[in-house]
Amino acid sequence: MDDSINSTNALSLNESQDEKRPLWKKDNPPRQKALLESFRSCCRCTYEAISERRALFLVFLSCFFYAFRNLAAKVITRTVDPIEIAVFERTTMMICTIPVILYKRYSMKVSREVATILVAIGVINCLSMIFVILSFKLINVGDANAIVASKSVFVGILGWILLREVPTLLDYSAGVACIIGIVFLSKPTIIFNPNALTHDDNLYGVLAAVGGTIFTTIAAILKRLLGLREVQPQIAIFYFSMVSSFTSCILCTIFQRWTWPESTKIQLFLVGSGFLGYLANVCILFALWTEKTFHVTIIGSSTVIVVFFLQYVILHVPPDAYSIAGSSFVLASTIAITMRKTEAPNQVS
Protein backbone atom coordinates (compact mmCIF):
# COMPACT_ATOMS: atom_id res chain seq x y z
CA MET A 1 0.00 0.00 0.00
CA ASP A 2 2.80 2.37 0.93
CA ASP A 3 4.66 1.49 -2.25
CA SER A 4 1.67 2.43 -4.40
CA ILE A 5 1.28 5.76 -2.57
CA ASN A 6 4.97 6.52 -2.99
CA SER A 7 4.86 5.67 -6.68
CA THR A 8 1.79 7.92 -7.13
CA ASN A 9 3.53 10.80 -5.35
CA ALA A 10 6.68 10.31 -7.43
CA LEU A 11 4.62 10.31 -10.64
CA SER A 12 2.80 13.53 -9.68
CA LEU A 13 6.14 15.12 -8.69
CA ASN A 14 7.64 14.23 -12.06
CA GLU A 15 4.61 15.67 -13.84
CA SER A 16 4.82 18.94 -11.89
CA GLN A 17 8.55 19.21 -12.63
CA ASP A 18 7.87 18.49 -16.30
CA GLU A 19 5.31 21.31 -16.39
CA LYS A 20 7.89 23.72 -14.98
CA ARG A 21 10.47 22.81 -17.61
CA PRO A 22 10.93 25.13 -20.59
CA LEU A 23 9.31 24.07 -23.82
CA TRP A 24 12.60 23.11 -25.48
CA LYS A 25 13.59 20.78 -22.57
CA LYS A 26 10.37 18.75 -22.44
CA ASP A 27 10.05 15.31 -23.95
CA ASN A 28 7.97 16.56 -26.84
CA PRO A 29 6.29 14.47 -29.48
CA PRO A 30 8.00 14.39 -32.90
CA ARG A 31 5.65 17.01 -34.37
CA GLN A 32 6.43 19.57 -31.62
CA LYS A 33 10.13 18.85 -31.96
CA ALA A 34 9.90 19.44 -35.69
CA LEU A 35 8.14 22.76 -35.12
CA LEU A 36 10.77 23.84 -32.59
CA GLU A 37 13.55 22.84 -34.98
CA SER A 38 12.00 24.80 -37.85
CA PHE A 39 11.58 27.83 -35.58
CA ARG A 40 15.25 27.63 -34.56
CA SER A 41 16.39 27.33 -38.17
CA CYS A 42 14.18 30.31 -39.13
CA CYS A 43 15.71 32.43 -36.34
CA ARG A 44 19.20 31.28 -37.36
CA CYS A 45 18.62 32.18 -41.04
CA THR A 46 17.20 35.58 -40.07
CA TYR A 47 20.20 36.30 -37.87
CA GLU A 48 22.63 35.26 -40.62
CA ALA A 49 20.81 37.39 -43.19
CA ILE A 50 20.91 40.42 -40.90
CA SER A 51 24.60 39.80 -40.13
CA GLU A 52 25.49 39.61 -43.83
CA ARG A 53 23.68 42.86 -44.70
CA ARG A 54 23.93 44.51 -41.31
CA ALA A 55 24.48 47.92 -42.88
CA LEU A 56 21.22 47.80 -44.83
CA PHE A 57 19.38 46.70 -41.69
CA LEU A 58 20.84 49.72 -39.89
CA VAL A 59 19.64 52.03 -42.68
CA PHE A 60 16.14 50.54 -42.43
CA LEU A 61 16.27 51.04 -38.66
CA SER A 62 17.35 54.66 -39.13
CA CYS A 63 14.16 55.25 -41.17
CA PHE A 64 12.08 54.61 -38.05
CA PHE A 65 14.39 56.75 -35.89
CA TYR A 66 14.11 59.66 -38.35
CA ALA A 67 10.35 59.21 -38.66
CA PHE A 68 9.72 59.34 -34.91
CA ARG A 69 12.17 62.22 -34.55
CA ASN A 70 10.35 64.20 -37.27
CA LEU A 71 6.97 63.61 -35.63
CA ALA A 72 8.39 64.72 -32.27
CA ALA A 73 9.75 67.87 -33.93
CA LYS A 74 6.30 68.56 -35.43
CA VAL A 75 4.74 68.45 -31.95
CA ILE A 76 7.48 70.65 -30.44
CA THR A 77 7.24 73.38 -33.10
CA ARG A 78 3.85 74.43 -31.72
CA THR A 79 5.53 75.96 -28.66
CA VAL A 80 9.30 76.07 -29.31
CA ASP A 81 11.19 77.99 -32.02
CA PRO A 82 13.02 75.87 -34.64
CA ILE A 83 16.39 77.47 -33.78
CA GLU A 84 15.99 76.54 -30.12
CA ILE A 85 15.00 73.00 -31.09
CA ALA A 86 18.28 72.76 -33.01
CA VAL A 87 20.18 73.80 -29.85
CA PHE A 88 18.53 71.13 -27.69
CA GLU A 89 18.75 68.35 -30.27
CA ARG A 90 22.39 68.88 -31.20
CA THR A 91 23.43 69.25 -27.56
CA THR A 92 21.63 65.99 -26.73
CA MET A 93 23.37 64.23 -29.61
CA MET A 94 26.76 65.47 -28.41
CA ILE A 95 26.08 64.30 -24.83
CA CYS A 96 24.98 60.84 -26.07
CA THR A 97 28.36 60.23 -27.70
CA ILE A 98 30.45 61.00 -24.56
CA PRO A 99 29.78 57.73 -22.62
CA VAL A 100 30.57 55.62 -25.71
CA ILE A 101 33.78 57.54 -26.42
CA LEU A 102 34.95 57.19 -22.81
CA TYR A 103 34.02 53.49 -22.63
CA LYS A 104 35.72 52.61 -25.93
CA ARG A 105 38.62 55.03 -25.24
CA TYR A 106 38.53 56.47 -28.74
CA SER A 107 41.20 58.96 -29.65
CA MET A 108 39.84 62.50 -30.11
CA LYS A 109 42.68 63.51 -32.44
CA VAL A 110 41.74 64.15 -36.05
CA SER A 111 43.71 65.55 -38.95
CA ARG A 112 43.32 69.17 -40.04
CA GLU A 113 41.50 68.11 -43.21
CA VAL A 114 39.01 65.99 -41.26
CA ALA A 115 38.53 68.80 -38.71
CA THR A 116 37.68 71.22 -41.53
CA ILE A 117 35.10 68.79 -42.93
CA LEU A 118 33.58 68.25 -39.46
CA VAL A 119 33.24 72.01 -38.88
CA ALA A 120 31.62 72.43 -42.30
CA ILE A 121 29.20 69.56 -41.58
CA GLY A 122 28.31 71.10 -38.22
CA VAL A 123 27.45 74.52 -39.63
CA ILE A 124 25.58 73.13 -42.66
CA ASN A 125 23.73 70.59 -40.52
CA CYS A 126 22.58 73.37 -38.21
CA LEU A 127 21.16 75.42 -41.12
CA SER A 128 19.61 72.32 -42.67
CA MET A 129 17.89 71.34 -39.44
CA ILE A 130 16.47 74.83 -38.85
CA PHE A 131 14.97 74.99 -42.36
CA VAL A 132 13.56 71.46 -42.20
CA ILE A 133 11.97 71.98 -38.77
CA LEU A 134 10.51 75.28 -40.00
CA SER A 135 8.92 73.35 -42.87
CA PHE A 136 7.47 70.89 -40.33
CA LYS A 137 5.81 73.87 -38.66
CA LEU A 138 4.20 75.11 -41.89
CA ILE A 139 3.25 71.89 -43.72
CA ASN A 140 2.65 68.22 -42.95
CA VAL A 141 5.63 66.15 -41.84
CA GLY A 142 5.12 63.63 -44.66
CA ASP A 143 5.17 66.31 -47.37
CA ALA A 144 8.30 67.97 -45.98
CA ASN A 145 10.04 64.60 -45.55
CA ALA A 146 9.27 63.65 -49.15
CA ILE A 147 11.02 66.82 -50.36
CA VAL A 148 14.05 66.17 -48.14
CA ALA A 149 14.25 62.64 -49.61
CA SER A 150 14.94 64.16 -53.05
CA LYS A 151 18.48 65.17 -52.11
CA SER A 152 19.93 62.82 -54.77
CA VAL A 153 18.27 64.94 -57.46
CA PHE A 154 19.67 68.09 -55.90
CA VAL A 155 23.15 66.55 -56.04
CA GLY A 156 22.79 66.40 -59.83
CA ILE A 157 21.43 69.97 -59.99
CA LEU A 158 24.28 71.32 -57.86
CA GLY A 159 26.81 69.41 -59.97
CA TRP A 160 25.36 70.98 -63.11
CA ILE A 161 25.39 74.52 -61.63
CA LEU A 162 28.67 74.47 -59.69
CA LEU A 163 30.81 71.87 -61.48
CA ARG A 164 29.45 72.34 -65.02
CA GLU A 165 28.69 68.62 -65.31
CA VAL A 166 26.82 67.72 -68.51
CA PRO A 167 23.39 66.27 -67.55
CA THR A 168 21.98 63.25 -69.37
CA LEU A 169 18.42 62.63 -70.54
CA LEU A 170 17.75 60.68 -67.33
CA ASP A 171 18.96 63.66 -65.28
CA TYR A 172 16.55 65.96 -67.10
CA SER A 173 13.67 63.51 -66.63
CA ALA A 174 14.42 63.02 -62.93
CA GLY A 175 14.67 66.79 -62.42
CA VAL A 176 11.32 67.40 -64.12
CA ALA A 177 9.68 64.61 -62.10
CA CYS A 178 11.11 66.05 -58.88
CA ILE A 179 9.80 69.55 -59.70
CA ILE A 180 6.35 68.14 -60.54
CA GLY A 181 6.34 66.29 -57.23
CA ILE A 182 7.31 69.41 -55.31
CA VAL A 183 4.51 71.38 -57.03
CA PHE A 184 2.00 68.71 -56.03
CA LEU A 185 3.27 68.80 -52.45
CA SER A 186 3.23 72.62 -52.21
CA LYS A 187 -0.27 72.87 -53.75
CA PRO A 188 0.06 76.58 -54.68
CA THR A 189 -3.29 78.34 -54.87
CA ILE A 190 -2.39 80.02 -58.16
CA ILE A 191 -2.52 76.54 -59.79
CA PHE A 192 -4.91 74.45 -57.69
CA ASN A 193 -7.32 77.14 -56.49
CA PRO A 194 -6.91 80.45 -58.42
CA ASN A 195 -10.00 82.02 -56.82
CA ALA A 196 -8.74 81.56 -53.25
CA LEU A 197 -7.66 84.65 -51.32
CA THR A 198 -5.63 82.81 -48.66
CA HIS A 199 -1.88 82.99 -48.24
CA ASP A 200 0.29 80.20 -49.59
CA ASP A 201 1.53 78.74 -46.31
CA ASN A 202 2.16 75.48 -48.14
CA LEU A 203 4.42 77.28 -50.58
CA TYR A 204 6.49 78.88 -47.79
CA GLY A 205 6.79 75.51 -46.06
CA VAL A 206 7.93 73.84 -49.29
CA LEU A 207 10.50 76.59 -49.90
CA ALA A 208 11.85 76.00 -46.39
CA ALA A 209 11.99 72.25 -47.07
CA VAL A 210 13.83 72.83 -50.37
CA GLY A 211 16.35 75.07 -48.60
CA GLY A 212 16.85 72.41 -45.95
CA THR A 213 17.24 69.76 -48.66
CA ILE A 214 20.01 71.71 -50.37
CA PHE A 215 21.94 71.98 -47.09
CA THR A 216 21.19 68.31 -46.32
CA THR A 217 22.61 67.35 -49.73
CA ILE A 218 25.87 69.16 -49.05
CA ALA A 219 26.08 67.64 -45.57
CA ALA A 220 25.46 64.13 -47.00
CA ILE A 221 28.32 64.55 -49.48
CA LEU A 222 30.63 65.68 -46.68
CA LYS A 223 29.54 62.73 -44.48
CA ARG A 224 30.42 60.40 -47.35
CA LEU A 225 33.91 61.96 -47.40
CA LEU A 226 34.20 61.17 -43.69
CA GLY A 227 33.15 57.59 -44.38
CA LEU A 228 35.87 57.24 -47.03
CA ARG A 229 38.45 58.50 -44.52
CA GLU A 230 37.20 55.93 -41.98
CA VAL A 231 36.52 58.42 -39.21
CA GLN A 232 34.92 56.69 -36.21
CA PRO A 233 31.17 57.57 -36.26
CA GLN A 234 31.03 58.48 -32.55
CA ILE A 235 33.91 60.95 -32.97
CA ALA A 236 32.35 62.43 -36.10
CA ILE A 237 28.94 62.87 -34.44
CA PHE A 238 30.53 64.43 -31.33
CA TYR A 239 32.42 67.08 -33.28
CA PHE A 240 29.77 68.10 -35.80
CA SER A 241 27.06 68.08 -33.10
CA MET A 242 29.23 70.34 -30.96
CA VAL A 243 29.72 72.75 -33.89
CA SER A 244 25.99 72.64 -34.71
CA SER A 245 25.07 73.32 -31.09
CA PHE A 246 27.48 76.26 -30.92
CA THR A 247 26.15 77.67 -34.22
CA SER A 248 22.55 77.31 -33.03
CA CYS A 249 23.38 79.12 -29.77
CA ILE A 250 24.82 82.04 -31.74
CA LEU A 251 21.71 82.22 -33.97
CA CYS A 252 19.42 81.97 -30.92
CA THR A 253 21.25 84.89 -29.30
CA ILE A 254 21.21 87.01 -32.47
CA PHE A 255 17.47 86.50 -33.11
CA GLN A 256 16.60 86.53 -29.36
CA ARG A 257 14.79 83.17 -29.43
CA TRP A 258 15.90 81.93 -26.00
CA THR A 259 13.02 80.42 -24.04
CA TRP A 260 12.63 77.44 -21.74
CA PRO A 261 9.54 75.25 -22.22
CA GLU A 262 7.67 74.87 -18.94
CA SER A 263 5.86 71.69 -19.98
CA THR A 264 7.64 68.49 -18.93
CA LYS A 265 6.14 66.76 -21.96
CA ILE A 266 7.81 69.24 -24.33
CA GLN A 267 11.13 68.87 -22.50
CA LEU A 268 10.96 65.08 -22.89
CA PHE A 269 10.13 65.50 -26.58
CA LEU A 270 13.19 67.74 -27.01
CA VAL A 271 15.52 65.23 -25.37
CA GLY A 272 13.86 62.33 -27.18
CA SER A 273 14.22 63.95 -30.60
CA GLY A 274 17.91 64.52 -29.93
CA PHE A 275 18.41 60.91 -28.86
CA LEU A 276 16.56 59.58 -31.92
CA GLY A 277 18.61 61.86 -34.16
CA TYR A 278 21.77 60.48 -32.55
CA LEU A 279 20.71 56.86 -33.18
CA ALA A 280 19.77 57.63 -36.80
CA ASN A 281 23.11 59.33 -37.50
CA VAL A 282 25.05 56.42 -35.97
CA CYS A 283 23.17 53.94 -38.18
CA ILE A 284 23.73 55.99 -41.35
CA LEU A 285 27.45 56.57 -40.71
CA PHE A 286 28.06 52.89 -39.94
CA ALA A 287 26.18 51.93 -43.12
CA LEU A 288 28.22 54.30 -45.29
CA TRP A 289 31.36 52.55 -44.08
CA THR A 290 30.48 49.23 -45.70
CA GLU A 291 27.59 49.71 -48.14
CA LYS A 292 27.26 51.51 -51.45
CA THR A 293 25.60 54.90 -51.44
CA PHE A 294 23.01 53.51 -53.89
CA HIS A 295 21.75 50.92 -51.39
CA VAL A 296 21.76 53.40 -48.52
CA THR A 297 19.81 55.97 -50.54
CA ILE A 298 17.20 53.54 -51.86
CA ILE A 299 16.43 52.02 -48.46
CA GLY A 300 16.65 55.44 -46.80
CA SER A 301 13.93 56.68 -49.15
CA SER A 302 11.46 54.39 -47.37
CA THR A 303 11.44 57.02 -44.59
CA VAL A 304 8.79 58.79 -46.66
CA ILE A 305 6.42 55.81 -46.42
CA VAL A 306 7.14 55.32 -42.70
CA VAL A 307 6.48 59.01 -41.93
CA PHE A 308 3.17 59.05 -43.83
CA PHE A 309 2.07 55.91 -41.99
CA LEU A 310 3.06 57.19 -38.53
CA GLN A 311 1.58 60.61 -39.29
CA TYR A 312 -1.76 58.94 -39.96
CA VAL A 313 -1.56 56.59 -36.94
CA ILE A 314 -0.22 59.04 -34.33
CA LEU A 315 -1.29 62.52 -35.50
CA HIS A 316 -4.44 61.34 -37.35
CA VAL A 317 -3.48 63.31 -40.47
CA PRO A 318 -4.24 61.21 -43.58
CA PRO A 319 -2.28 62.06 -46.76
CA ASP A 320 -4.39 63.51 -49.55
CA ALA A 321 -4.17 62.61 -53.24
CA TYR A 322 -1.77 65.49 -53.99
CA SER A 323 0.62 64.36 -51.25
CA ILE A 324 0.63 60.77 -52.50
CA ALA A 325 1.16 61.86 -56.12
CA GLY A 326 3.89 64.34 -55.20
CA SER A 327 5.71 61.83 -53.01
CA SER A 328 5.56 59.22 -55.81
CA PHE A 329 7.13 61.64 -58.29
CA VAL A 330 9.87 62.60 -55.83
CA LEU A 331 10.66 58.98 -54.92
CA ALA A 332 10.74 57.94 -58.60
CA SER A 333 13.16 60.75 -59.47
CA THR A 334 15.36 59.88 -56.46
CA ILE A 335 15.59 56.18 -57.38
CA ALA A 336 16.26 56.98 -61.07
CA ILE A 337 19.05 59.45 -60.35
CA THR A 338 20.66 57.13 -57.80
CA MET A 339 20.63 54.19 -60.22
CA ARG A 340 22.40 56.28 -62.85
CA LYS A 341 25.09 57.36 -60.42
CA THR A 342 25.68 53.71 -59.49
CA GLU A 343 25.85 52.43 -63.06
CA ALA A 344 28.25 55.15 -64.24
CA PRO A 345 31.39 53.78 -62.52
CA ASN A 346 30.63 50.25 -63.77
CA GLN A 347 30.49 51.45 -67.37
CA VAL A 348 33.86 53.19 -67.05
CA SER A 349 35.53 50.10 -65.61
Side-chain angles (χ1 to χ4, degrees), residues 153 156-157 166-177 336-337 340-341:
V153 181
I157 295 175
V166 180
T168 63
L169 180 61
L170 183 60
D171 292 329
Y172 284 119
S173 303
V176 171
I337 211 78
R340 185 194 66 81
K341 289 182 179 298

Side-chain angles (χ1 to χ4, degrees), residues 66-132:
Y66 274 128
F68 280 109
R69 172 248 184 188
N70 292 344
L71 291 175
K74 174 69 174 179
V75 175
I76 298 168
T77 51
R78 298 169 184 170
T79 54
V80 184
D81 191 81
I83 303 177
E84 193 174 7
I85 295 175
V87 175
F88 281 102
E89 180 169 323
R90 294 306 171 182
T91 304
T92 304
M93 287 177 61
M94 181 183 67
I95 293 172
C96 287
T97 60
I98 295 176
V100 181
I101 292 173
L102 293 177
Y103 178 75
K104 295 287 187 178
R105 297 182 180 179
Y106 290 132
S107 175
M108 301 295 292
K109 293 181 180 180
V110 294
S111 63
R112 182 175 297 180
E113 182 182 7
V114 170
T116 305
I117 296 174
L118 287 170
V119 171
I121 291 176
V123 175
I124 294 170
N125 247 337
C126 171
L127 299 175
S128 167
M129 183 178 177
I130 292 172
F131 275 105
V132 171

Side-chain angles (χ1 to χ4, degrees), residues 6 29 31 47 62 94 105 130 147 150 219 226 243 259 323 336:
N6 291 335
R31 185 178 179 184
Y47 177 76
S62 72
M94 181 183 67
R105 297 182 180 179
I130 292 172
I147 297 172
S150 67
L226 283 180
V243 175
T259 58
S323 297

Side-chain angles (χ1 to χ4, degrees), residues 213-228:
T213 305
I214 294 173
F215 287 120
T216 303
T217 302
I218 301 171
I221 295 172
L222 294 176
K223 285 181 182 179
R224 179 58 181 163
L225 289 177
L226 283 180
L228 294 175

